[in-house]
Amino acid sequence: MMKVFAAMFCAAMVFALTGCSKDYENDIIGSWKVISITETETYQGETQTYSETPEGLNILTFNSDHTYQASSDGQVRDSGTWSLDDDKLILTDSENTRQNFTIDIDGSDMTLTTSMSFGSEGSYKMIMKLKKV
């Protein structure tokens, strides 16, 4: 009986320590349509928010070999590599420019968020909503 309890306890601890971590490695693979983009800019205390629903077919495709392509109406606009670090998505384009996003995937919905601070001058935040296609 004690061995069964010890095995169940170990299994519960493994689940507790790993069950809550966000592992989007397999979830991100595939094509995602950009549904909306919201940008918020703050400069010298004034904030402006812009929201748009992109026209046309804007797709981000994440391949299992850790490459990605961004296309608009079938034309490739950007490509490079991607990596994940917990809930952080890092895109590195062909010019070696890195973009860092916080990623959240809920079924067929993905949200990418990025932000920058310009010290006391202001800040920028972008939230992109995508749907798996």
Side-chain angles (χ1 to χ4, degrees), residues 18-62:
T18 61
C20 295
S21 69
K22 295 180 182 176
D23 182 12
Y24 296 127
E25 188 76 27
N26 292 322
D27 297 336
I28 195 173
I29 305 296
S31 295
W32 298 82
K33 180 181 178 184
V34 179
I35 302 299
S36 68
I37 299 172
T38 302
E39 297 173 285
T40 303
E41 296 176 354
T42 302
Y43 181 70
Q44 296 181 340
E46 294 200 24
T47 300
Q48 294 186 351
T49 300
Y50 310 92
S51 293
E52 71 172 298
T53 302
E55 292 182 20
L57 187 59
N58 298 284
I59 301 287
L60 273 173
T61 301
F62 297 95

Side-chain angles (χ1 to χ4, degrees), residues 6-131:
M8 288 177 27
F9 178 76
C10 288
M13 288 305 294
V14 167
F15 178 76
L17 293 174
T18 61
C20 295
S21 69
K22 295 180 182 176
D23 182 12
Y24 296 127
E25 188 76 27
N26 292 322
D27 297 336
I28 195 173
I29 305 296
S31 295
W32 298 82
K33 180 181 178 184
V34 179
I35 302 299
S36 68
I37 299 172
T38 302
E39 297 173 285
T40 303
E41 296 176 354
T42 302
Y43 181 70
Q44 296 181 340
E46 294 200 24
T47 300
Q48 294 186 351
T49 300
Y50 310 92
S51 293
E52 71 172 298
T53 302
E55 292 182 20
L57 187 59
N58 298 284
I59 301 287
L60 273 173
T61 301
F62 297 95
N63 301 306
S64 60
D65 66 355
H66 287 256
T67 59
Y68 78 91
Q69 283 189 335
S71 62
S72 179
D73 293 326
Q75 297 289 324
V76 175
R77 303 289 184 206
D78 189 25
S79 63
T81 60
W82 64 270
S83 62
L84 289 171
D85 184 9
D86 289 326
D87 67 344
K88 304 291 183 223
L89 171 66
I90 301 149
L91 300 181
T92 306
D93 68 14
S94 57
E95 296 177 3
N96 219 22
T97 303
R98 290 173 53 128
Q99 291 182 296
N100 298 316
F101 297 90
T102 300
I103 183 173
D104 184 45
I105 298 176
D106 185 9
S108 64
D109 297 317
M110 176 166 44
T111 303
L112 298 178
T113 306
T114 189
S115 60
M116 293 180 276
S117 177
F118 304 108
S120 62
E121 291 295 312
S123 62
Y124 171 83
K125 181 176 183 179
M126 181 191 70
I127 301 171
M128 185 184 309
K129 302 273 186 180
L130 303 103
K131 177 74 85 179

